[in-house]
Amino acid sequence: GSGKTHTMFGSNLFNPEAQGIIPRAAHQIFDHIAAGADDVEFVLRCSLLEIHREQLRDLLNPTNTGLKIKEAPQKGVYVEGITQEFVVCAGDIMEIVRVGERMRAVASTKLNMHSSRSHVIFMLACEQKLADGTEKLGKLNLVDLAGSEKVHKSGSMGPTLEEAKKINWSLAALGNVIHSLAEKRDHIPYRDARLTRVLQDTLGGNFKTTLVVTCSSGPAHYEETLSSMHFATRAKSVCNHVKMNFIYSAEQLMVLVEKLQRELLAVRSEISGGDRSSPLLRSWPDSEPPPAKRVDEEVDPDLDNAPRRE
């Protein structure tokens, strides 16, 4: 392989020198929490989702079947019924990832002795509760994609062949989504695959997205490397517009309502008093506006000689 799983997980979850992006991100998050204010409360929950042959699997509870992708205005796109484990330190996340890795679909091919046969999504939901009652909501999705493969090179047969078909299908759907986002098309085909549907908000929603492309330096994989570089070039042109998710307390909402009511009363008093200094009245002319055109007045210069109704 080109090193995708090694990049995301590393060779040893508990060795700081051999950790990948997921364990390093976990340590950085909890280091930031420890360095913050004492009156701020954090609640973190994580899940591990596997997409294997276009089927959703809960790696923290393999008996949990029937997972469905749902969408709600407040939550966005989410997986209904997936297990969410509360975590209080980076060690909790390491243990969850270790358990999930054991359940992941892996097979041996001619190209890789431990070839990933599925996509794995590590999802971390964070709620930050401030002292004034305000809440901030955030999500972190870290994805380890299975690599596309040419069957004549990998020698896939039987179940591994079916896995290769589904992997290539979902990666092609991901490429189409990235291409549509880069071209700013009206329709984005998120629903073509489970992978792109689950990552809909990550790819084109209220997310900051980073893509790591791993390539093989071997000349035998020249075509795959070139295709990966083209994909990365298109992905660089995608631009997401991110905003912070706040949930205000009841007291803060009441203060905001009172402020808006005072502003509304002030504007009404200015209008009723005819105060020309008001921004709402300043643009109104002192003279009467020109009379409106008659309904049957000519508006088309090509109809000058047309008969008119008297």
Side-chain angles (χ1 to χ4, degrees):
S2 58
K4 295 179 294 299
T5 301
H6 179 78
T7 300
M8 298 306 299
F9 294 96
S11 57
N12 190 331
L13 291 173
F14 301 95
N15 182 1
E17 299 296 329
Q19 290 176 339
I21 291 177
I22 292 178
R24 290 174 186 267
H27 284 290
Q28 184 176 0
I29 289 172
F30 282 100
D31 288 344
H32 177 77
I33 293 175
D38 295 334
D39 58 352
V40 179
E41 179 183 354
F42 289 88
V43 179
L44 292 93
R45 296 166 296 172
C46 69
S47 306
L48 269 178
L49 175 69
E50 180 184 48
I51 303 177
H52 179 243
R53 296 177 64 170
E54 283 300 293
Q55 299 297 318
L56 304 180
R57 293 181 58 196
D58 186 351
L59 290 182
L60 301 184
N61 185 8
T63 61
N64 185 11
T65 58
L67 299 179
K68 296 181 180 179
I69 302 174
K70 298 287 186 177
E71 185 173 5
Q74 298 297 329
K75 299 177 64 175
V77 178
Y78 65 99
V79 179
E80 184 182 50
I82 193 169
T83 302
Q84 292 185 315
E85 294 287 348
F86 289 93
V87 293
V88 297
C89 63
D92 290 347
I93 294 181
M94 299 304 104
E95 186 62 26
I96 288 175
V97 171
R98 184 183 65 84
V99 172
E101 272 193 308
R102 292 180 177 179
M103 305 303 300
R104 185 178 184 179
V106 179
S108 176
T109 67
K110 291 182 179 180
L111 299 176
N112 191 350
M113 291 295 295
H114 303 281
S115 175
S116 301
R117 313 308 295 171
S118 62
H119 310 299
V120 171
I121 305 175
F122 170 83
M123 297 178 286
L124 182 67
C126 178
E127 299 178 14
Q128 181 183 5
K129 300 180 181 179
L130 305 180
D132 60 0
T134 305
E135 293 185 19
K136 294 181 182 179
L137 306 178
K139 294 180 182 179
L140 175 66
N141 292 334
L142 298 173
V143 187
D144 178 26
L145 296 175
S148 62
E149 61 181 62
K150 295 185 180 296
V151 176
H152 70 276
K153 290 184 178 180
S154 64
S156 298
M157 299 176 60
T160 57
L161 177 59
E162 295 302 317
E163 291 169 344
K165 292 179 181 178
K166 296 299 183 181
I167 291 172
N168 291 341
W169 168 271
S170 60
L171 292 178
L174 177 61
N176 292 335
V177 167
I178 294 295
H179 182 67
S180 298
L181 289 171
E183 296 290 330
K184 298 181 179 179
R185 296 180 180 176
D186 295 333
H187 172 68
I188 310 298
Y190 291 114
R191 297 177 181 269
D192 286 357
R194 296 289 180 88
L195 174 67
T196 52
R197 179 59 172 155
V198 171
L199 298 178
Q200 177 173 338
D201 291 338
T202 305
L203 296 172
N206 188 28
F207 272 73
K208 291 183 178 180
T209 304
T210 300
L211 183 69
V212 179
V213 177
T214 60
C215 301
S216 173
S217 58
H221 306 293
Y222 167 79
E223 293 182 1
E224 292 88 341
T225 299
L226 185 61
S227 176
S228 297
M229 298 306 296
H230 286 317
F231 172 76
T233 302
R234 290 195 299 270
K236 286 178 63 178
S237 61
V238 178
C239 181
N240 288 350
H241 301 282
V242 182
K243 63 180 180 180
M244 192 169 294
N245 299 316
F246 280 100
I247 297 180
Y248 293 101
S249 63
E251 293 78 7
Q252 290 176 311
L253 292 175
M254 289 301 299
V255 171
L256 181 59
V257 169
E258 292 175 359
K259 178 183 177 182
L260 293 175
Q261 287 177 340
R262 289 194 300 268
E263 293 179 356
L264 179 60
L265 290 174
V267 172
R268 283 179 175 175
S269 63
E270 290 178 0
I271 293 177
S272 61
D275 184 4
R276 290 292 174 178
S277 63
S278 171
L280 295 177
L281 301 176
R282 195 175 300 152
S283 59
W284 291 3
D286 294 329
S287 59
E288 291 293 328
K293 291 184 178 181
R294 291 168 52 92
V295 175
D296 58 348
E297 184 177 351
E298 290 180 353
V299 293
D300 191 341
D302 295 333
L303 299 179
D304 284 21
N305 299 322
R308 282 180 260 165
R309 180 181 298 174
E310 296 298 335

